[in-house]
């Protein structure tokens, strides 16, 4: 499921489909996040954070790289802050 453009809606919709859920409220219950979090992500007011990606991985067993691909995130590296760079490889080693 690859996309050329960043769109977290594709990630949310893909998880709803994979988990056979009815809507994002059901997904929020499975992920144990408040429904407004997914709504804010859908409307571009909140990014998909690392902790949410990890939770999505824990619930679905989909690799984080694949989750990021689902929403069109093509960065080779991502950071938790400007001072602490992590590469996908270093996070994989830590897991």
């Amino acid at each position: 499921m690859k996309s050329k453009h960043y769109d977290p809606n594709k990630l949310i919709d893909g998880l709803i489909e994979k988990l056979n859920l009815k809507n994002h409220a059901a997904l929020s219950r499975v992920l144990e996040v408040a429904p407004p979090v997914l709504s804010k992500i859908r409307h571009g007011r909140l990014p998909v954070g690392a902790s949410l990606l990890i939770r999505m991985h824990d619930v679905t067993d989909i690799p984080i790289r694949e989750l990021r691909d689902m929403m069109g995130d093509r960065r080779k590296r991502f950071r938790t802050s400007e001072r602490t760079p992590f590469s996908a490889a270093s996070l994989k080693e830590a897991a």
Side-chain angles (χ1 to χ4, degrees):
M1 187 181 272
K2 297 216 176 191
S3 169
K4 291 183 181 182
H5 303 288
Y6 178 78
D7 184 359
N9 289 320
K10 292 181 181 180
L11 173 61
I12 293 170
D13 293 338
L15 292 177
I16 289 170
E17 183 179 329
K18 177 174 176 48
L19 298 172
N20 297 314
L21 302 172
K22 288 188 174 195
N23 52 39
H24 81 266
L27 179 60
S28 70
R29 286 189 293 275
V30 170
L31 296 175
E32 298 177 353
V33 299
V37 171
L38 294 182
S39 180
K40 288 177 182 178
I41 290 169
R42 277 202 183 273
H43 292 95
R45 293 190 304 262
L46 187 68
V48 177
S51 60
L52 185 56
L53 275 175
I54 291 168
R55 183 68 185 142
M56 289 173 174
H57 164 71
D58 288 344
V59 168
T60 65
D61 288 329
I62 298 173
I64 291 178
R65 173 78 262 166
E66 189 175 329
L67 292 169
R68 292 176 66 216
D69 284 345
M70 288 170 70
M71 68 179 161
D73 186 350
R74 298 289 183 257
R75 295 174 293 172
K76 298 290 183 207
R77 295 171 57 97
F78 45 95
R79 298 168 190 235
T80 56
S81 75
E82 285 300 313
R83 290 192 215 171
T84 314
F86 293 100
S87 69
S90 68
L91 288 177
K92 187 183 269 187
E93 291 171 5

